[in-house]
Amino acid sequence: MIPDQVRGVFESTELEAFKLISPLRYRKPWELLWKSISKGNVCVAGDALHPMTPDLGQGGCSALEDGVVLARCLGEVLLRNSSKKSEKLEEEYKNIEMGLKKYASERKWRSFDLVATAYVIGFIQQSHNKVLSFLRDKFLASFLATWVFKKADFDCGKLTNN
């Protein structure tokens, strides 16, 4: 049951207000290789970095990988320079920028690999082409399963407590 106040908000809101502000856009996997995911002290992570179909089951895992790698990259540059008590805000900004650039360079290829693999696996699994369906069902099934399982084996590096 929906509370009367919530129902009232929806009923009194014009339908035009529910339109998307910006249109959704499909990003091809190879755009990860040509475009930067980091600029200044801002970067993208999670689904914004690697939107993928659920064919690999790696969406949540790759977001956790992002968190570990981001923490490690930022931690390395911030801890390395934390002994300088008189560090200016501008220097701290540069340190954060360096950490984000390192994160971006480490995650670019892994993200591309996951997104492209999900795209290919999804294309093969959902194909209605008779030849591709035959090959998938008779020959590719065991290969694809092995390929998918290998994607889960990734080392994010160690977080230190220095």
Side-chain angles (χ1 to χ4, degrees), residues 99-116:
L100 293 178
K101 282 182 180 180
K102 183 174 189 227
Y103 161 80
S105 69
E106 285 189 29
R107 293 302 292 165
K108 181 180 274 194
W109 284 103
R110 170 70 172 163
S111 298
F112 171 76
D113 181 33
L114 290 172
V115 173

Side-chain angles (χ1 to χ4, degrees), residues 79 159-162:
L79 289 174
L159 294 175
T160 61
N161 11 330
N162 296 2

Side-chain angles (χ1 to χ4, degrees), residues 27 32 36-39 42-50 66 70 100 103-104 107:
R27 185 176 70 210
L32 277 170
S36 177
I37 64 166
S38 172
K39 183 176 182 180
V42 177
C43 72
V44 293
D47 286 346
L49 172 58
H50 38 69
D66 287 345
L70 182 59
L100 293 178
Y103 161 80
R107 293 302 292 165

Side-chain angles (χ1 to χ4, degrees), residues 67-87:
V68 171
V69 174
L70 182 59
R72 183 175 44 75
C73 291
L74 287 174
E76 286 172 2
V77 296
L78 294 175
L79 289 174
R80 179 178 56 223
N81 298 318
S82 68
S83 59
K84 304 172 187 173
K85 297 287 183 194
S86 63
E87 191 169 292

Side-chain angles (χ1 to χ4, degrees), residues 78-145:
L78 294 175
L79 289 174
R80 179 178 56 223
N81 298 318
S82 68
S83 59
K84 304 172 187 173
K85 297 287 183 194
S86 63
E87 191 169 292
K88 296 177 185 165
L89 189 58
E90 188 175 306
E91 291 174 26
E92 189 172 304
Y93 176 92
K94 288 293 182 193
N95 289 336
I96 292 171
E97 185 176 5
M98 284 179 2
L100 293 178
K101 282 182 180 180
K102 183 174 189 227
Y103 161 80
S105 69
E106 285 189 29
R107 293 302 292 165
K108 181 180 274 194
W109 284 103
R110 170 70 172 163
S111 298
F112 171 76
D113 181 33
L114 290 172
V115 173
T117 301
Y119 180 83
V120 169
I121 296 286
F123 179 81
I124 292 171
Q125 286 179 343
Q126 298 169 23
S127 176
H128 297 293
N129 178 285
K130 290 182 183 193
V131 173
L132 188 55
S133 295
F134 174 78
L135 291 173
R136 174 195 63 215
D137 297 342
K138 299 296 180 189
F139 303 106
L140 293 175
S142 62
F143 169 74
L144 293 177

